[in-house]
Amino acid sequence: MLRRKFIKWSSLASLSLTMNPFAHDILARKTDWIKLTILHTNDVHSRIDPFPDDGSRNANAGGAAKRAALIQQIRSKEKNVLLLDSGDIFQGTPYFNLFKGELEIKLMSAMEYDVATIGNHDFDLGLEGFDKQLPHANFDFVSSNYDFSDTMLNNKILPYVIKRKGGIKIGIFGLGIQLEGLVPQQLYGNTIYTDPITVANQTAKRLKHDEDCDVVICLSHLGFKYDNSKIDDLKLAEHTENIDLILGGHTHTFLVEPILVKNRKEEDVIINQAGWAGILLGRIDLFLEKSKSKKCYDCKNLKVL
Amino acid sequence: MKYSKFFTFTIFCLALLLSGCKPYAHLSQAHFERYNVAETEIEGDEVKAINDIIEPYRIEEEREMNTVIATVPTIMTRQNVESTIGNWVADAMDEYIETNTGETMDLSICNYFGIRITRLAAGDLKVGQIYELMPFDNYLVTMEIDGSTLLQLLEVIASNDGWPVSKQLSMTIADGQIQSATLNGQAIDEGRNYRIGLSDYLANGGSNLSFLKDLPYNNTGVYLRDAFIEIAKKHGVVSAELEGRIKKVNP
């Protein structure tokens, strides 16, 4: 059931790899550390019930009740849990066609999601349709590169949020895909899409330096990888700084393990995506070392062991 | 006074910074897991609250999806170059538009993979099966295009080995090329305009119809799926014949 892997930030990791993979394990050292457990989904697409038991590839996969149980079981063991979603909550089953997204949002609220971003399908019932479901959400929606100021969603979707868990500050912002050509204009109205890289750099810098966040997470609905020049999570990571973790969506990518990419300052960024339809729940535990110094000497390189 | 206050505050801030009052937390390690949600063991009443939220919606969803709206006398299939499901779908689009807008249609089309099922079993037809046939919220729209654009459209249909088309068309194809094409027995006139019915997905240039993208269309405001449900209910029978609307011939 569990695929457990370790990712380490350590200048010594390559050395310790040949000797003892756990020699540099923060858990074995006498340092003061905090564990942050991040659970995430993307492209759930109105999958409330498990897939039907019809012998097809996804038979019996997923299901909101089991996801809720799993989240609850993890919460009972972990102190600092964040539950995040990278968009495309809507569209895919008759539940959406009949109830217009109400049940999806109610269930996310019941599972105590903290933050979600907006996917292209979340515009399927227009800005008005989305707005109608917002009262059912007791979590935040973030998007930094969709400008909603000339729409009814003005001030209802935040550019970013800051969460505090176990004494650390986590900045979370969202990035959405280009709407033109993908979503009919009458659905997104006067929403303005702006370049994700520019906005990501501005927002992440603000979170890391002005707001003093210890961790910066980007919820992206850009897609994992395109072979053309279209912006994706890999390109986003390469051309930005101050982002620690990108939780992606849109391309329904089942990553066997998170990908590490060097950002423009040669620092490591973790990228992950958890398939679609609520088949998987992704989990990344971040271990943060407390120190009095702003500079972290151990944090230069990240290794997947 | 004002100045000295500011000065004191600055010194205070500096002192705070230098003394390292704010502890820094650095990412130094990460673990990951991915859970297959279906393998979760639910213990007792753990998710009662979740199931209580879902239950009323599920009951209504099942009642709606299990509603029988028509009978299918004989099994229907989706196939190239022409098929029974395809013929029924395209004729239903035509009929829906003509009944509800009063427009007379020259042709309705649907892209092959716009139909998401390959067969409809004989017997009762339930609403849920129409949802499976057409899960997307695509709108039924109408367009007026000139004869040369219509021919361009038919060329795409020919190169795709035949899409669902309504009964007005009679076309022969060979090696993905049009050999002959008539609408209501008449040759296609490049000089006149034709009224066609299609999905907004196609009208917006989907499935390689980029030449339609900049042309205006009228949106009926009705989802294709709802149009199919209405036509199925109206007749109580869902059936279609193969009539040679599209035929393969030797070049």
Side-chain angles (χ1 to χ4, degrees):
Chain A
M1 168 170 184
L2 303 184
R3 210 179 264 272
R4 182 179 277 271
K5 291 271 179 175
F6 301 91
I7 312 166
K8 285 192 179 189
W9 284 256
S10 168
S11 51
L12 298 173
S14 53
L15 251 181
S16 56
L17 182 67
T18 51
M19 306 293 288
N20 170 3
F22 298 101
H24 206 70
D25 195 329
I26 188 175
L27 308 183
R29 271 187 296 158
K30 285 182 182 160
T31 49
D32 204 2
W33 51 267
I34 311 153
K35 181 182 184 185
L36 174 66
T37 300
I38 296 159
L39 304 178
H40 65 103
T41 51
N42 54 274
D43 302 278
V44 178
H45 280 299
S46 306
R47 286 280 159 187
I48 310 294
D49 296 324
F51 279 86
D53 185 12
D54 59 1
S56 65
R57 187 174 51 169
N58 290 327
N60 303 312
K66 286 196 166 180
R67 175 156 42 106
L70 178 58
I71 290 163
Q72 209 169 310
Q73 286 160 17
I74 295 166
R75 283 191 200 278
S76 71
K77 293 187 194 106
E78 302 296 340
K79 234 167 60 187
N80 305 312
V81 177
L82 272 177
L83 178 56
L84 307 172
D85 186 89
S86 298
D88 274 7
I89 295 161
F90 290 170
Q91 193 70 268
T93 68
Y95 282 109
F96 176 70
N97 309 116
L98 295 176
F99 311 116
K100 317 296 179 200
E102 183 178 305
L103 181 55
E104 291 84 329
I105 300 294
K106 278 187 176 173
L107 288 174
M108 287 175 76
S109 294
M111 291 181 210
E112 295 178 58
Y113 269 79
D114 292 285
V115 190
T117 195
I118 301 165
N120 47 301
H121 280 290
D122 299 318
F123 289 93
D124 280 1
L125 292 175
L127 297 171
E128 208 177 325
F130 186 84
D131 188 45
K132 226 171 161 178
Q133 302 312 332
L134 277 179
H136 300 296
N138 61 8
F139 54 93
D140 294 311
F141 278 97
V142 289
S143 178
S144 307
N145 71 323
Y146 290 152
D147 177 358
F148 291 108
S149 50
D150 194 20
T151 73
M152 67 174 67
L153 296 178
N154 186 27
N155 294 328
K156 294 179 181 172
I157 292 164
L158 309 166
Y160 60 81
V161 293
I162 295 169
K163 297 280 171 185
R164 285 178 175 77
K165 294 273 173 188
I168 56 170
K169 274 175 96 172
I170 307 113
I172 304 165
F173 71 102
L175 291 177
I177 193 164
Q178 180 152 24
L179 297 169
E180 195 193 331
L182 186 64
V183 177
Q185 205 265 327
Q186 72 262 26
L187 296 180
Y188 63 80
N190 291 331
T191 307
I192 299 164
Y193 164 89
T194 46
D195 174 52
I197 290 180
T198 313
V199 171
N201 272 317
Q202 285 164 356
T203 313
K205 184 179 176 212
R206 179 159 183 186
L207 289 169
K208 206 87 183 239
H209 297 287
D210 302 343
E211 304 277 8
D212 264 335
C213 290
D214 301 300
V215 178
V216 173
I217 301 172
C218 172
L219 299 180
S220 155
H221 200 78
L222 298 173
F224 177 65
K225 186 185 177 193
Y226 305 110
D227 291 330
N228 52 31
S229 62
K230 190 173 166 170
I231 173 79
D232 57 31
D233 291 340
L234 294 173
K235 294 178 198 114
L236 173 72
E238 273 170 40
H239 295 107
T240 54
E241 59 187 81
N242 297 314
I243 301 172
D244 299 298
L245 175 58
I246 298 171
L247 299 174
H250 189 62
T251 42
H252 299 192
T253 309
F254 286 89
L255 288 178
V256 175
E257 57 184 46
I259 307 292
L260 294 181
V261 174
K262 294 279 183 205
N263 71 11
R264 68 182 187 185
K265 284 176 76 187
E266 292 294 302
E267 295 160 337
D268 291 297
V269 183
I270 309 173
I271 303 175
N272 204 18
Q273 195 174 140
W276 73 294
I279 293 171
L280 301 181
L281 178 72
R283 171 174 178 174
I284 295 180
D285 292 314
L286 298 178
F287 293 85
L288 290 104
E289 197 172 342
K290 278 189 190 166
S291 79
K292 293 232 165 85
S293 149
K294 186 144 192 172
K295 197 157 174 59
C296 179
Y297 294 98
D298 270 355
C299 307
K300 277 290 166 210
N301 298 295
L302 192 107
K303 294 275 174 192
V304 180
L305 295 181
Chain B
M1 183 65 189
K2 209 175 173 187
Y3 178 80
S4 82
K5 247 190 184 169
F6 176 72
F7 188 70
T8 314
F9 180 65
T10 311
I11 293 291
F12 176 71
C13 288
L14 264 174
L16 204 70
L17 257 171
L18 290 172
S19 69
C21 241
K22 184 199 180 298
Y24 295 97
H26 302 287
L27 277 180
S28 71
Q29 191 170 313
H31 296 176
F32 82 87
E33 287 173 13
R34 50 173 236 182
Y35 300 88
N36 183 345
V37 167
E39 290 169 14
T40 309
E41 299 287 341
I42 295 178
E43 293 150 13
D45 270 357
E46 199 175 28
V47 288
K48 190 180 178 301
I50 294 289
N51 282 328
D52 285 349
I53 295 172
I54 300 174
E55 201 51 22
Y57 292 89
R58 183 180 284 139
I59 290 167
E60 198 179 325
E61 190 261 359
E62 283 177 358
R63 189 174 54 217
E64 175 72 20
M65 292 303 124
N66 290 326
T67 305
V68 174
I69 50 170
T71 305
V72 180
T74 50
I75 182 174
M76 297 171 75
T77 60
R78 180 197 72 183
Q79 277 169 320
N80 297 103
V81 288
E82 182 188 356
S83 69
T84 44
I85 294 181
N87 287 357
W88 182 79
V89 158
D91 285 347
M93 291 166 71
D94 237 36
E95 183 180 344
Y96 185 91
I97 297 166
E98 292 194 344
T99 314
N100 289 279
T101 70
E103 290 181 60
T104 302
M105 304 306 295
D106 293 302
L107 184 68
S108 284
I109 63 156
C110 178
N111 53 313
Y112 186 73
F113 290 106
I115 296 173
R116 307 300 290 182
I117 56 170
T118 53
R119 60 196 291 276
L120 263 185
D124 287 342
L125 180 73
K126 295 173 178 174
V127 170
Q129 290 171 282
I130 301 288
Y131 272 79
E132 286 165 19
L133 187 153
M134 184 65 233
F136 312 113
D137 287 348
N138 287 343
Y139 287 104
L140 178 57
V141 308
T142 64
M143 289 179 99
E144 194 167 317
I145 57 175
D146 59 34
S148 61
T149 309
L150 175 62
L151 280 171
Q152 226 179 326
L153 181 58
L154 294 179
E155 276 162 19
V156 173
I157 293 175
S159 72
N160 280 292
D161 212 17
W163 281 356
V165 291
S166 58
K167 57 182 177 294
Q168 302 91 325
L169 184 74
S170 181
M171 178 161 81
T172 57
I173 58 174
D175 297 331
Q177 309 266 337
I178 302 174
Q179 300 300 303
S180 66
T182 59
L183 277 182
N184 292 318
Q186 305 282 309
I188 290 157
D189 179 354
E190 294 194 30
R192 66 159 270 208
N193 284 353
Y194 293 87
R195 289 193 165 282
I196 62 165
L198 68 175
S199 65
D200 62 335
Y201 165 74
L202 294 180
N204 286 322
S207 291
N208 296 315
L209 301 184
S210 53
F211 53 91
L212 294 183
K213 201 175 64 183
D214 297 321
L215 302 177
Y217 62 78
N218 287 320
N219 196 335
T220 62
V222 169
Y223 292 142
L224 280 171
R225 180 177 52 240
D226 293 334
F228 297 150
I229 291 170
E230 191 173 314
I231 296 296
K233 275 182 180 167
K234 181 175 154 191
H235 296 286
V237 173
V238 167
S239 67
E241 299 297 324
L242 295 181
E243 303 166 335
R245 297 178 186 187
I246 300 176
K247 273 191 294 197
K248 269 191 175 171
V249 293
N250 291 322

